Amino acid sequence: MTAHTVTEPTAAPDARRRRPPGITFASFQPLGIDAGLTAARWAEELGFASFWTAETTGLEAFSTLSAAGCAAPTLALGTGVLALQLRTPLLAVQGAATLQALSPEREINLGVGISSTAVVGRWHGARYGDRPLAQTREWLELARPLLEGEKVTHDGDHYAVGPTRLGVRLGERRPRLVLAALNERMLRLAGELGDGVLLNYLPASAVPWCVEQVRQGELAAGRPPGSVRVSAYVHVGVCDPGAARAKARRDLFGYAVVPAYAKAFERAGFAAEVAALGAAFEAGDRSAAEAAISDDMIDAINICGDADTVAAAVDAYEHAGVDEAVIMPLPWGEDRLGTIRLTMEAVARRDTGRSGDARRERLELAESAFRTHGHRLIDWVADYWRRTDDLPVGPSVEPGWVRSQLDAHPPEHGGDLAGAVADLDRVIVPALTHWQAPGFFGYFPANASPPAVLAELVSAGLGVQGMLWATSPAVTELEQHVLDWLVEACGLPEDFRHRRSDGTPGPGGGVIQDSASSGTLCAILAARHRLDAGTQRIDSLVVYGTSETHSSLEKDARVAGIPKARVRAVPTDGVLAMDPEALATLIEEDRRAGLVPLLVCATSGTTSTGAFDPVEAIADVTEPLGIWLHLDAAWAGSAGVAPELRWVSDGVERVDSYLFNPHKWLLTNFDCSTLWVRNRAALTETLSIVPEYLRTAQSEAGEVVDFRDWQVPLGRRFRALKLFFVMRHYGLAGLRDHIRTGIADATWLEEAIVAHPALELVAPRSLALVCFAHVDGDDATGRLLEAIADDPRYLCTRTVAAGRVSVRVAVGSPRTTRATIEQFWAFLVAAAA
Ligand code: PLP
């Protein structure tokens, strides 16, 4: 047989008709199903149109495609190819119809073909048949009406069925019948009866002749030319062609010994190779037979090289008349999955235009990855929240485990965002404490919520930096606005507002800090300025808290140059609240000793037991002396959204600064700590530095707030968006509900504890915080704590209150329900027995 004449395609490929590329899993199934699913996701991300799979002795085609369809919901799916002798027409149609029923809008390609005697006979023990063309015709003639849902009766040479009908209800869209064809008669049959034809193992130069045969088939059947879509597997790999050649040779050899492929290779211009190979093979010399495959043949069919070579190869097939190039990645680089990714990227880049602008291409790829993974990650996060109902609350990994799971070296080549995403489940989730879990009662809650997380995403995506009003007015003004909203929501003083209720500017204002620690530091710095740090010696300043004040006070004082020795712990009363008389005494002693009392930090809701310092009485001490009074309501402040709980900020109208953390208990994920000052002057004066490059006309004119002057760092994130989304989504009513249900649950638990003979409260319940101990003493409470720590459902913190080891239960996760609390109580009762 002589090589066919290659005719030029009659017209340049019609760009509108050409479909985006597809990918087949046929060449890399040995890497495992995960590799296929990863490639399917990549395909979607990179703008491919279809995902195909083969079937010999490995993965079963329809179940593989079902999974791929879930992994990549937008891709068309195809079998390429099913050995048609192995499935009856009805069974194959059932498989395709099942896929179609799963996604009625998706394109499903039922690709079938005559497979080799080895696959059909030797491996599957089915009958190869002596009239493959006739069998194929009959198969197609049966499959078509079955796909259409018709009742079929057929009595032919190969199949006798009926009356029978496909029992799957389909909508408008039906699977397409695609016939794999190599020789003239099969190509014509595809033209006559198929919706598509699939070419394989052919060089681009052989395509025009194949297309011509298909068109002849269409003509003979009276179908308009082009009725049948021409798809071709294009074998390409971004890898070193020299190194890949041995694999390519072996691959082609395996096909060249199959008579139908041998004939196709001959026609495609490789008659000499086929002849030499055949002779050597007959003589039993396998290595000579392999060696007969020339480099030219390899380079024409199994095309390896750089990204441009690969892209040009796909172009060549399309120019030769292929409507849909389905790449068969040759995974012959050192990193096989990486080679597949690079190959796919090379092909995808053709459509974004090989502009030669690598920066642009990098950007487009990253944005495309963002869309693909982003949509899925929203689901992942939402699923994660649900999963926390069942996950063990605390991590069970050994120190170092996380690092042991990760590559020691950073990746040189990227493209593995999918791998990083997969590592969330593999490495990250097992090593987390699930703060959002219903049984998380430790520390204080750190509420995440869907609207807050969406705002976080938007804020990250906007990527703006709100250090000045001018660097993004929305960042500053939204922050002023939502902090004014919070003043109203929590019944805080008018002076805290940027704009008073009557529309006039207020003397104070609110600002979002990353944490309460930073807010308290700002208060100390402002207090120091107000005292006129220029005239006061820093080594004379003293700050006051209690033993119950959060440790951040001491740290902040240290940062501000005030050592531990001048951080006073004012004695507390029986409920661990600051004793104002003792405060007055300490201040007096310090003053007499020549020291300068700078700031008193009162707490509403201390960390250990939720105690409340008497702010009014403390203000009676500080006010006459001009000492800065700071009120830390980091946890309890959120409760102020409920009018009946406004007492949490009693006395707040007499403090100089006030803070609370919506990131604890107000459904706003970390970080978001809100700080208000009654008068902003001291704060902004102490923190304002204006280099030339940060001067703006609006600032100079005093028209705007620049929040860089309200915090230690210059740069700042767009955090206000979180509060904005949270308040818009839940409304104050929703936020109140959240607080109230947490408190009601804690009250239920408190009452159960009070009624139980073996347990007792060590401090009065504070809002949603309950601290209790075993009546038998610290050892018994210690055993209770151990039992809690051993139970994967719960996490509590240990504390010492009134000198007693105690169990601290902080309720407040949005996933906690009364049922969670009741179950926890049943567990406690058993553990305390
Ligand atoms: N103040 C109080 C009363 C706290 O309970 C906490 C933390 O639990 C803090 C301050 C410190 O909060 P942040 O982590 O926001 O600095």
Side-chain angles (χ1 to χ4, degrees):
M1 186 164 302
T2 52
H4 62 263
T5 339
V6 174
T7 49
E8 285 299 315
T10 42
D14 180 343
R16 276 165 307 148
R17 205 181 116 129
R18 206 193 77 194
R19 285 170 57 83
I23 181 171
T24 177
F25 188 22
S27 56
F28 58 103
Q29 278 200 15
L31 300 190
I33 185 85
D34 279 352
L37 302 187
T38 300
R41 283 190 282 264
W42 286 345
E44 197 170 58
E45 167 195 332
L46 294 168
F48 282 54
S50 57
F51 180 90
W52 301 66
T53 192
E55 185 181 77
T56 51
T57 59
L59 297 164
E60 191 277 330
F62 290 115
S63 43
T64 301
L65 291 179
S66 279
C70 293
T74 63
L75 293 184
L77 301 174
T79 56
V81 298
L82 292 182
L84 68 74
Q85 302 99 319
L86 295 182
R87 278 195 178 82
T88 63
L90 178 58
L91 186 58
V93 164
Q94 280 176 258
T98 306
L99 289 175
Q100 190 75 79
L102 284 167
S103 344
E105 298 309 318
R106 194 198 290 268
E107 178 182 293
I108 304 295
N109 293 293
L110 175 54
V112 296
I114 289 292
S115 196
S116 70
T117 47
V119 172
V120 176
R122 186 140 40 93
W123 297 344
H124 287 271
R127 226 173 73 78
Y128 181 75
D130 45 11
R131 294 175 57 222
L133 191 74
Q135 185 175 357
T136 305
R137 174 180 289 280
E138 214 179 309
W139 196 101
L140 292 174
E141 282 172 348
L142 252 170
R144 173 71 69 197
L146 286 170
L147 273 177
E148 293 304 327
E150 292 168 16
K151 192 189 279 183
V152 176
T153 304
H154 177 93
D155 189 9
D157 293 340
H158 298 86
Y159 304 98
V161 297
T164 192
R165 164 180 280 157
L166 170 69
V168 181
R169 248 173 213 275
L170 294 179
E172 286 288 294
R173 190 155 202 164
R174 298 295 149 92
R176 300 173 69 249
L177 274 176
V178 179
L179 182 60
L182 284 171
N183 66 39
E184 182 178 332
R185 287 189 300 169
M186 200 63 89
L187 288 160
R188 288 181 182 222
L189 186 61
E192 204 183 312
L193 296 177
D195 298 307
V197 64
L198 180 60
L199 310 179
N200 193 8
Y201 276 96
L202 288 175
S205 60
V207 169
W209 178 83
C210 295
V211 175
E212 219 166 276
Q213 308 318 306
V214 176
R215 301 291 170 247
Q216 292 295 334
E218 289 170 340
L219 197 65
R223 305 172 82 188
S227 303
V228 174
R229 184 194 300 164
V230 179
S231 306
Y233 276 179
V234 178
H235 305 197
V236 278
V238 174
C239 51
D240 174 13
R245 236 169 225 147
K247 291 196 171 95
R249 186 164 277 118
R250 215 165 305 131
D251 176 57
L252 288 175
F253 166 81
Y255 283 84
V257 293
V258 178
Y261 281 100
K263 287 205 187 85
F265 289 148
E266 281 172 6
R267 249 194 328 270
F270 305 113
E273 284 87 344
V274 170
L277 181 145
F281 194 58
E282 289 259 304
D285 186 347
R286 182 174 167 141
S287 59
E290 272 187 31
I293 306 279
S294 67
D295 287 355
D296 280 354
M297 185 171 168
I298 292 173
D299 293 345
I301 302 176
N302 282 344
I303 305 148
C304 294
D306 61 14
D308 283 346
T309 307
V310 162
V314 178
D315 285 349
Y317 279 83
E318 288 172 348
H319 280 281
V322 165
D323 302 314
E324 177 184 45
V326 178
I327 65 161
M328 179 187 277
L330 303 174
W332 294 335
E334 241 170 56
D335 163 13
R336 291 187 293 172
L337 203 56
T339 305
I340 291 167
R341 172 75 196 197
L342 286 178
T343 306
M344 295 176 73
E345 285 178 0
V347 175
R349 270 207 291 276
R350 297 168 328 130
D351 285 337
T352 51
R354 261 164 299 149
S355 58
D357 184 342
R359 267 181 310 183
R360 196 81 217 158
E361 284 165 12
R362 205 164 45 234
L363 184 71
E364 279 166 6
L365 271 177
E367 284 172 358
S368 139
F370 175 75
R371 280 181 201 279
T372 313
H373 294 291
H375 292 299
R376 214 167 284 123
L377 280 174
I378 293 285
D379 285 338
W380 186 90
V381 172
D383 290 343
Y384 166 75
W385 286 328
R386 291 195 177 178
R387 282 160 64 201
T388 60
D389 291 353
D390 300 313
L391 287 168
V393 185
S396 55
V397 299
E398 296 296 322
W401 179 83
V402 175
R403 298 200 59 177
S404 75
Q405 297 301 304
L406 301 170
D407 284 343
H409 306 287
E412 180 62 28
H413 299 289
D416 191 25
L417 192 52
V421 170
D423 278 352
L424 291 175
D425 286 318
R426 189 181 67 89
V427 187
I428 305 299
V429 170
L432 291 179
T433 296
H434 303 293
W435 285 66
Q436 308 309 317
F440 180 91
F441 303 130
Y443 313 98
F444 278 131
N447 291 171
S449 74
V453 172
L454 286 180
E456 192 79 88
L457 176 66
V458 175
S459 162
L462 296 177
V464 295
Q465 217 267 53
M467 55 191 179
L468 304 174
W469 177 89
T471 57
S472 272
V475 177
T476 299
E477 293 197 17
L478 189 74
E479 187 159 331
Q480 291 179 290
H481 207 74
V482 292
L483 272 100
D484 282 359
W485 274 3
L486 271 186
V487 168
E488 183 178 322
C490 298
L492 301 176
E494 271 282 293
D495 281 354
F496 283 5
R497 296 174 65 120
H498 286 273
R499 191 167 60 202
R500 294 179 202 268
S501 312
D502 63 8
T504 58
V511 57
I512 304 178
Q513 304 276 336
D514 56 358
S515 67
S517 306
S518 299
T520 299
L521 175 60
C522 286
I524 294 176
L525 299 177
R528 211 174 62 179
H529 185 86
R530 189 172 77 178
L531 206 61
D532 192 353
T535 60
Q536 299 294 340
R537 287 188 22 229
I538 196 149
D539 60 6
S540 63
L541 303 178
V542 187
V543 300
Y544 302 81
T546 70
S547 58
E548 304 302 304
T549 303
H550 192 264
S551 57
S552 52
L553 177 68
E554 186 180 324
K555 193 188 224 182
D556 291 335
R558 202 190 295 173
V559 172
I562 302 166
K564 184 180 168 79
R566 280 184 278 113
V567 179
R568 301 272 180 262
V570 180
T572 52
D573 62 14
V575 289
L576 299 172
M578 185 185 282
D579 175 350
E581 281 178 25
L583 171 69
T585 310
L586 269 181
I587 288 175
E588 191 45 41
E589 282 171 12
D590 283 336
R591 280 159 58 89
R592 263 195 260 115
L595 298 174
V596 180
L598 175 70
L599 172 142
V600 174
C601 178
T603 306
S604 285
T606 57
T607 315
S608 183
T609 61
F612 285 78
D613 291 333
V615 180
E616 294 267 8
I618 293 170
D620 288 342
V621 178
T622 55
E623 247 170 31
L625 300 170
I627 299 170
W628 189 287
L629 179 54
H630 174 64
L631 180 53
D632 173 1
W635 162 67
S638 294
V641 292
E644 74 278 14
L645 300 170
R646 294 257 164 91
W647 54 263
V648 297
S649 56
D650 271 355
V652 68
E653 58 290 339
R654 296 183 62 188
V655 308
D656 295 290
S657 51
Y658 173 73
L659 67 77
F660 79 90
N661 286 351
H663 69 223
K664 279 186 161 57
W665 198 12
L666 208 60
L667 299 170
T668 309
N669 66 294
F670 194 87
D671 53 357
C672 181
S673 179
T674 44
L675 168 74
W676 285 270
V677 284
R678 196 139 56 101
N679 188 321
R680 71 179 80 158
L683 179 63
T684 57
E685 281 165 21
T686 195
L687 291 176
S688 178
I689 293 178
V690 190
E692 272 311 315
Y693 47 82
L694 293 181
R695 283 188 190 287
T696 69
Q698 300 86 357
S699 308
E700 309 258 301
E703 292 169 342
V704 295
V705 157
D706 290 326
F707 274 127
R708 56 137 199 216
D709 299 337
W710 295 57
Q711 60 174 30
V712 174
L714 169 65
R716 60 202 322 275
R717 313 190 318 108
F718 194 176
R719 297 191 190 91
L721 213 48
K722 287 192 280 195
L723 284 171
F724 187 58
F725 274 31
V726 164
M727 287 197 261
R728 295 286 289 269
H729 176 78
Y730 291 103
L732 296 184
L735 296 177
R736 279 179 207 123
D737 262 8
H738 168 61
I739 297 287
R740 285 172 180 152
T741 50
I743 294 175
D745 288 344
T747 307
W748 187 94
L749 184 66
E750 172 202 20
E751 286 166 1
I753 290 167
V754 169
H756 195 278
L759 300 173
E760 62 185 344
L761 297 181
V762 292
R765 173 188 56 78
S766 173
L767 302 169
L769 178 66
V770 182
C771 296
F772 65 94
H774 200 288
V775 290
D776 291 349
D778 286 355
D779 287 349
T781 308
R783 283 193 294 279
L784 198 53
L785 280 160
E786 274 168 27
I788 296 169
D790 286 344
D791 193 296
R793 294 170 296 173
Y794 309 115
L795 190 149
C796 295
T797 321
R798 172 189 181 279
T799 192
V800 175
R804 295 179 63 185
V805 172
S806 315
V807 183
R808 198 177 156 284
V809 180
V811 181
S813 159
R815 300 200 70 76
T816 306
T817 62
R818 180 59 60 84
T820 318
I821 301 290
E822 288 174 0
Q823 265 175 18
F824 178 54
W825 174 244
F827 157 82
L828 281 180
V829 169

